[in-house]
PDB file of all heavy atoms in Angstrom:
ATOM      1  N   LEU A 226      -8.456 -13.510 -10.764  1.00  0.00           N
ATOM      2  CA  LEU A 226      -8.246 -12.134 -11.231  1.00  0.00           C
ATOM      3  C   LEU A 226      -7.696 -12.140 -12.663  1.00  0.00           C
ATOM      4  O   LEU A 226      -8.207 -11.428 -13.542  1.00  0.00           O
ATOM      5  CB  LEU A 226      -7.280 -11.451 -10.259  1.00  0.00           C
ATOM      6  CG  LEU A 226      -6.889 -10.005 -10.509  1.00  0.00           C
ATOM      7  CD1 LEU A 226      -8.113  -9.094 -10.448  1.00  0.00           C
ATOM      8  CD2 LEU A 226      -5.855  -9.552  -9.468  1.00  0.00           C
ATOM      9  N   VAL A 230      -9.310 -10.635 -16.113  1.00  0.00           N
ATOM     10  CA  VAL A 230      -8.579  -9.617 -16.892  1.00  0.00           C
ATOM     11  C   VAL A 230      -8.493 -10.074 -18.348  1.00  0.00           C
ATOM     12  O   VAL A 230      -8.747  -9.289 -19.277  1.00  0.00           O
ATOM     13  CB  VAL A 230      -7.157  -9.391 -16.301  1.00  0.00           C
ATOM     14  CG1 VAL A 230      -6.282  -8.593 -17.262  1.00  0.00           C
ATOM     15  CG2 VAL A 230      -7.250  -8.674 -14.965  1.00  0.00           C
ATOM     16  N   PHE A 261     -15.143  -7.907  -5.552  1.00  0.00           N
ATOM     17  CA  PHE A 261     -14.417  -8.177  -6.803  1.00  0.00           C
ATOM     18  C   PHE A 261     -15.031  -7.219  -7.799  1.00  0.00           C
ATOM     19  O   PHE A 261     -16.205  -7.341  -8.135  1.00  0.00           O
ATOM     20  CB  PHE A 261     -14.616  -9.631  -7.251  1.00  0.00           C
ATOM     21  CG  PHE A 261     -13.771  -9.996  -8.455  1.00  0.00           C
ATOM     22  CD1 PHE A 261     -12.599 -10.735  -8.311  1.00  0.00           C
ATOM     23  CD2 PHE A 261     -14.129  -9.566  -9.734  1.00  0.00           C
ATOM     24  CE1 PHE A 261     -11.813 -11.052  -9.415  1.00  0.00           C
ATOM     25  CE2 PHE A 261     -13.333  -9.870 -10.833  1.00  0.00           C
ATOM     26  CZ  PHE A 261     -12.181 -10.628 -10.673  1.00  0.00           C
ATOM     27  N   ARG A 262     -14.288  -6.221  -8.232  1.00  0.00           N
ATOM     28  CA  ARG A 262     -14.941  -5.161  -8.998  1.00  0.00           C
ATOM     29  C   ARG A 262     -14.099  -4.661 -10.171  1.00  0.00           C
ATOM     30  O   ARG A 262     -12.887  -4.456 -10.015  1.00  0.00           O
ATOM     31  CB  ARG A 262     -15.258  -3.983  -8.070  1.00  0.00           C
ATOM     32  CG  ARG A 262     -16.530  -3.263  -8.491  1.00  0.00           C
ATOM     33  CD  ARG A 262     -17.173  -2.519  -7.339  1.00  0.00           C
ATOM     34  NE  ARG A 262     -17.604  -3.369  -6.248  1.00  0.00           N
ATOM     35  CZ  ARG A 262     -17.663  -2.997  -4.973  1.00  0.00           C
ATOM     36  NH1 ARG A 262     -17.292  -1.787  -4.625  1.00  0.00           N
ATOM     37  NH2 ARG A 262     -18.095  -3.832  -4.065  1.00  0.00           N
ATOM     38  N   VAL A 280      -9.316  -1.224 -14.272  1.00  0.00           N
ATOM     39  CA  VAL A 280      -8.536  -1.996 -13.301  1.00  0.00           C
ATOM     40  C   VAL A 280      -9.535  -2.928 -12.608  1.00  0.00           C
ATOM     41  O   VAL A 280     -10.685  -2.535 -12.379  1.00  0.00           O
ATOM     42  CB  VAL A 280      -7.812  -1.073 -12.288  1.00  0.00           C
ATOM     43  CG1 VAL A 280      -8.769  -0.158 -11.552  1.00  0.00           C
ATOM     44  CG2 VAL A 280      -6.985  -1.880 -11.292  1.00  0.00           C
ATOM     45  N   ILE A 281      -9.108  -4.145 -12.346  1.00  0.00           N
ATOM     46  CA  ILE A 281      -9.961  -5.056 -11.572  1.00  0.00           C
ATOM     47  C   ILE A 281      -9.327  -5.204 -10.196  1.00  0.00           C
ATOM     48  O   ILE A 281      -8.123  -5.478 -10.079  1.00  0.00           O
ATOM     49  CB  ILE A 281     -10.110  -6.428 -12.255  1.00  0.00           C
ATOM     50  CG1 ILE A 281     -10.631  -6.242 -13.685  1.00  0.00           C
ATOM     51  CG2 ILE A 281     -11.062  -7.313 -11.459  1.00  0.00           C
ATOM     52  CD1 ILE A 281     -10.926  -7.550 -14.423  1.00  0.00           C
ATOM     53  N   LEU A 282     -10.167  -4.985  -9.166  1.00  0.00           N
ATOM     54  CA  LEU A 282      -9.652  -5.035  -7.787  1.00  0.00           C
ATOM     55  C   LEU A 282     -10.417  -6.096  -7.009  1.00  0.00           C
ATOM     56  O   LEU A 282     -11.628  -6.249  -7.181  1.00  0.00           O
ATOM     57  CB  LEU A 282      -9.838  -3.686  -7.099  1.00  0.00           C
ATOM     58  CG  LEU A 282      -9.188  -2.493  -7.803  1.00  0.00           C
ATOM     59  CD1 LEU A 282     -10.249  -1.582  -8.387  1.00  0.00           C
ATOM     60  CD2 LEU A 282      -8.285  -1.715  -6.879  1.00  0.00           C
ATOM     61  N   ASN A 295      -4.941  -6.689  -7.421  1.00  0.00           N
ATOM     62  CA  ASN A 295      -5.550  -5.947  -8.524  1.00  0.00           C
ATOM     63  C   ASN A 295      -4.695  -6.110  -9.759  1.00  0.00           C
ATOM     64  O   ASN A 295      -3.514  -6.457  -9.658  1.00  0.00           O
ATOM     65  CB  ASN A 295      -5.662  -4.453  -8.173  1.00  0.00           C
ATOM     66  CG  ASN A 295      -4.287  -3.806  -8.037  1.00  0.00           C
ATOM     67  OD1 ASN A 295      -3.662  -3.436  -9.045  1.00  0.00           O
ATOM     68  ND2 ASN A 295      -3.771  -3.718  -6.814  1.00  0.00           N
ATOM     69  N   GLN A 296      -5.315  -5.864 -10.919  1.00  0.00           N
ATOM     70  CA  GLN A 296      -4.557  -5.800 -12.166  1.00  0.00           C
ATOM     71  C   GLN A 296      -5.205  -4.771 -13.065  1.00  0.00           C
ATOM     72  O   GLN A 296      -6.434  -4.750 -13.203  1.00  0.00           O
ATOM     73  CB  GLN A 296      -4.588  -7.146 -12.895  1.00  0.00           C
ATOM     74  CG  GLN A 296      -3.568  -8.149 -12.414  1.00  0.00           C
ATOM     75  CD  GLN A 296      -3.547  -9.381 -13.328  1.00  0.00           C
ATOM     76  OE1 GLN A 296      -3.199  -9.320 -14.491  1.00  0.00           O
ATOM     77  NE2 GLN A 296      -3.977 -10.503 -12.789  1.00  0.00           N
TER      78      GLN A 296
END
Side-chain angles (χ1 to χ4, degrees):
L226 180 62
V230 167
F261 186 102
R262 213 156 298 150
V280 57
I281 305 185
L282 303 110
N295 66 82
Q296 277 188 65

